[in-house]
Amino acid sequence: MTKRMRYRDWRWLALWWHHFFLLWSTIDGQTRYSIPEELKQGSVVGNLAKDLGLALSEISDRRLRVASQTGEQYFSVDAGKGELVVNDRIDREALCGHSASCVLPLQIVLEKPLNLHRIEVEIKDMNDNSPSFQTKELSLKIAESAAVGTRFVLESAEDTDVGSNSVKSYTLTKNECFTLKMKEVEDGKAVPELVLEKPLDREKKAVHQLLLTALDGGNPVLSGTSQITITVLDVNDNFPVFEKNTYKVSLQENTAQNTFVVKIAATDADEGPNGEVEFSFGSRTPDSVLSVFEIKPLTGEIHLKGDLDYEKASSYKIEITARDKGVPEMESHCRLQIDIVDVNDNTPEIVLTSEPQPVREDAASGTVVALLNARDADSGNNSKVTLRVPKGSPFTLKPSFSNNYALVTSGLVDRESFPEYNIEITATDSGTPPLSSKKVIPVTITDVNDNAPVFTQKTYNVYLKENGVPGSILYSVSASDLDFGENAKVSYCILDSKVQEVSVSSYVYINSDNGSIYSMHSFDYEKLKVFQIQVQAKDQGSPSLSSNATVHVFILDQNDNAPAVIYPSSAAMGSLSHQRLARSAKAGHLVTKVTAVDADSGHNAWISYRLAEATDASLFTVNLYTGEVRTKRAVSEQDDSSQRLLIEIKDDGEPIQSSTVTVSIILEDGLHEPILDLRHKVAESSKKTGRITLYLILSLASVSVLSLLTFLILAVKCIRNSRSSSTCCMRRTDSDDYKNPNRNLQIQLNTDGPIKYVEVLGGDMLSQSQSFRSCMSPMSEYSDFTLIKPSSTTDFKEVISVLDASLPDSTWTFESQQVRKRQ
């Protein structure tokens, strides 16, 4: 009942201590609190937010947490109040043993930005443990011959509390023969000794019962007892005597098992069995010693039978007992101190205090990535740890305090080159030989929009057939972006530009997602041969980046135009072409020339001529390439006076396009120079002349003089008409470009028959414009010179010069000068 009351009193005192003597202090910029042990869960240690200068909102926003180096989470933070509270039962004796000071170091970790605070919580001892004896009942055998003043060492009581709460005094029940005295040992501890104050007399009293009480210095005072039974023996009156009262030995912690440690020596002045000494460990020797060392009873040699570990026990203090074989047995005690020398047998350890944070690829140098701590269980130089990162890494370690480091950036990072870094950190201690360990910390690099989209080509050439279906795909451009996520999503658009004074968007449009370009309508090669599109690729980053590419669209010609007849002019206008031919014409005589053009280009514009139908196919032939209509044989009197020719004109395309022209040829007698392509007025004039001649012939008999005069007048008129019809005037058509005089010209002058013409050929056979062709009729009232197909490489002045030299008629010079003026 008394013990329970004491425990309740102690609990009350603990609460009173908590509420009124809770301390906190800041030492050298480091916060320190003091609390008693065994506080209830939820008890307040201190206002952590106030002491660290933090707002209450920062506790949750910056994810404040408590990290303990002991591994146990004894404390937590009340996010609502900012207070550090007890999270679990704290037993000072379990944490710090008999150490005079018990301090728990805590690390307060804050994020955004990463920050680390170190605090210490001092655990103060409470008198919650009573002194206790390992042996509750101690038996002593003392010879009656023991001299007064003989001391007998008793078992010391153990109290897990420290300071004033530890064992302070001993008491012994009153008796006649024995008193209790304290003996100071070298480590400052007091050991109780039983002192014989009066000689023993076994015959009077053979057994003495004593109660030894150990008292601590706590408030209230707690105690423990041990029952001592003393048996009085007779005679063996010499104790074994050790050579040394204390033996000291040092061992390396890597000493092998069965190694000899030390030999304990003791002598006994008695003879026989009373002088034979046996050695043993003290009766209170703990199992931690018995499992590591063994002693040989007869020789006193001590050997190592277990493994040593400096980190578990740096020193062993062992009590050795020497006991003789007399009756009663006499024993003595000495102390063996074995100090363990540390060996570098523990590798350093790297502990992450905070998880690594993702790093933006444009992060400035010195950006904190993670917090870490280096530890080594060894001591001295063996526990000094240095950390390093590989050379060339864009990260470095920045030391803070107590082997704490911050992993920070030391240079620029590029996600496109390395999206993730596995940083290998090496920890090396200062032992001999040094030990090391490695830890890989993964760091993810987050993307920044620093790469513009890149097209697969700077320019694209697209070849498109004319007359395509509107809405059909022309081409698909593609661009890629080295960035990630939204920064790598590419959209396409067409930049506004003009094609033949019209916006390019009226010709094509583009799919913004995949870069496919579609036509808005069909294209006509004859109207538009080439145009270009500026395509822009833009990413979705902020700010967005873009790049451009040029798409050249070439329209390919299709054979969609039939040849068009431009000479004879009447045939070109859709009417029948009438030609005259003298019956005296020889074989090969040029009757007329059919000229046609094709609006297509290349092979599609190559024209050939063929005589499809004829009144007499044996009389006429048509040149396949020039369209000249010539006689195949001489004209005979038997040939019909009216000949009809159907000439087919075909191009060289696929499919072939063709057209026809019908030429009517009248065979006449007495014409020295058959006239081609008589105009309407000339025909009427001829009819009038025929009628007048007929009237003159009819009246010739009566008015011969008048008839002769009329004939002379008509003869003069015919001569004048013949001269005036040789005048050649020129009309320039389709004169687009005549600026290159360096191209080769081929001029063909044909003066055979009444039709005189010049062909000026120049340029490439595949060129859009191949030649000039001129046709001149001496009977023509207008005397046209027509540029059927202009060549962009022909110097028109050179053509005029050639014509001036080739045609002797003086009228040509006058008309050609007019043409030059137009040039």
Side-chain angles (χ1 to χ4, degrees), residues 393-438:
S393 172
F395 298 90
T396 188
L397 290 170
K398 182 179 179 181
S400 55
F401 61 88
S402 301
N403 287 331
N404 287 283
Y405 295 83
L407 180 65
V408 299
T409 59
S410 61
L412 297 178
V413 293
D414 185 8
R415 189 205 67 84
E416 288 70 41
S417 299
F418 295 98
E420 183 178 12
Y421 287 87
N422 290 314
I423 306 169
E424 184 181 76
I425 299 178
T426 303
T428 306
D429 61 26
S430 300
T432 304
L435 300 178
S436 63
S437 64
K438 296 181 179 180

Side-chain angles (χ1 to χ4, degrees), residues 486-750:
E486 292 295 321
N487 296 333
K489 290 183 179 180
V490 179
S491 61
Y492 303 88
C493 67
I494 294 177
L495 300 179
D496 192 32
S497 61
K498 298 294 183 180
V499 177
Q500 294 184 342
E501 303 303 324
V502 179
S503 175
V504 72
S505 60
S506 64
Y507 288 87
V508 293
Y509 70 93
I510 191 169
N511 188 311
S512 61
D513 296 325
N514 57 26
S516 296
I517 302 174
Y518 297 87
S519 63
M520 298 284 285
H521 54 73
S522 62
F523 295 95
D524 188 352
Y525 173 84
E526 286 70 41
K527 294 180 179 179
L528 180 63
K529 294 177 175 57
V530 64
F531 65 95
Q532 69 179 24
I533 307 167
Q534 290 289 332
V535 179
Q536 183 181 77
K538 181 185 294 184
D539 60 29
Q540 303 300 315
S542 179
S544 63
L545 301 177
S546 63
S547 62
N548 299 339
T550 303
V551 180
H552 297 281
V553 181
F554 297 91
I555 310 301
L556 299 180
D557 183 46
Q558 299 294 297
N559 194 28
D560 57 347
N561 291 283
V565 179
I566 63 172
Y567 187 84
S569 57
S570 57
M573 299 174 62
S575 59
L576 187 65
S577 176
H578 296 278
Q579 305 294 332
R580 292 176 179 272
L581 178 63
R583 286 187 178 273
S584 61
K586 307 293 183 180
H589 183 80
L590 178 62
V591 179
T592 187
K593 181 181 177 73
V594 177
T595 302
V597 294
D598 194 312
D600 294 318
S601 65
H603 286 273
N604 296 330
W606 288 7
I607 296 174
S608 61
Y609 303 86
R610 185 179 70 87
L611 184 60
E613 295 179 9
T615 303
D616 187 351
S618 65
L619 182 56
F620 300 100
T621 182
V622 177
N623 188 284
L624 180 64
Y625 301 109
T626 64
E628 294 178 346
V629 179
R630 294 180 180 272
T631 55
K632 292 174 65 176
R633 57 178 175 80
V635 181
S636 65
E637 293 296 331
Q638 288 78 24
D639 292 328
D640 292 341
S641 60
S642 177
Q643 298 286 331
R644 187 180 185 87
L645 306 180
L646 179 64
I647 299 173
E648 182 183 29
I649 307 168
K650 298 190 297 182
D651 58 26
D652 197 37
E654 182 65 36
I656 295 173
Q657 300 276 3
S658 64
S659 60
T660 59
V661 60
T662 303
V663 179
S664 177
I665 301 174
I666 299 174
L667 302 182
E668 294 184 353
D669 295 324
L671 286 177
H672 301 289
E673 290 187 349
I675 301 172
L676 298 177
D677 196 19
L678 292 178
R679 304 295 176 125
H680 181 66
K681 291 183 179 181
V682 176
E684 290 181 356
S685 177
S686 299
K687 289 181 180 180
K688 287 182 180 180
T689 304
R691 285 196 295 272
I692 293 173
T693 304
L694 179 60
Y695 294 152
L696 290 175
I697 293 173
L698 293 176
S699 61
L700 184 60
S702 58
V703 190
S704 58
V705 177
L706 182 60
S707 297
L708 180 59
L709 182 58
T710 302
F711 178 76
L712 291 174
I713 293 173
L714 288 175
V716 172
K717 184 178 181 180
C718 288
I719 292 172
R720 288 183 177 179
N721 287 339
S722 176
R723 290 181 177 178
S724 61
S725 63
S726 63
T727 302
C728 179
C729 67
M730 299 176 64
R731 290 179 187 171
R732 179 182 177 187
T733 61
D734 299 335
S735 55
D736 294 334
D737 188 7
Y738 308 103
K739 297 180 180 179
N740 185 358
N742 297 323
R743 299 293 298 270
N744 293 328
L745 298 176
Q746 297 180 6
I747 301 178
Q748 298 180 1
L749 180 62
N750 193 325

Side-chain angles (χ1 to χ4, degrees), residues 332-353:
S332 298
H333 303 275
C334 76
R335 176 166 292 197
L336 170 63
Q337 180 175 330
I338 301 176
D339 294 322
I340 309 303
V341 179
D342 184 40
V343 174
N344 192 27
D345 58 347
N346 290 281
T347 57
E349 181 185 7
I350 301 172
V351 180
L352 276 176
T353 308

Side-chain angles (χ1 to χ4, degrees), residues 240 242 262-267 275-281 293-303 320-325:
F242 289 96
V262 68
K263 182 177 181 179
I264 305 298
T267 59
E276 295 179 3
V277 179
E278 289 186 348
F279 300 92
S280 64
F281 291 123
F293 300 98
E294 64 178 355
I295 187 170
K296 295 187 180 300
L298 298 179
T299 63
E301 294 179 351
I302 297 177
H303 290 79
I320 307 297
T321 300
R323 183 179 293 110
D324 61 24
K325 296 181 180 179

Side-chain angles (χ1 to χ4, degrees), residues 806-817:
S806 303
L807 301 178
D809 199 310
S810 61
T811 57
W812 165 261
T813 303
F814 173 76
E815 296 296 332
S816 64
Q817 289 175 353

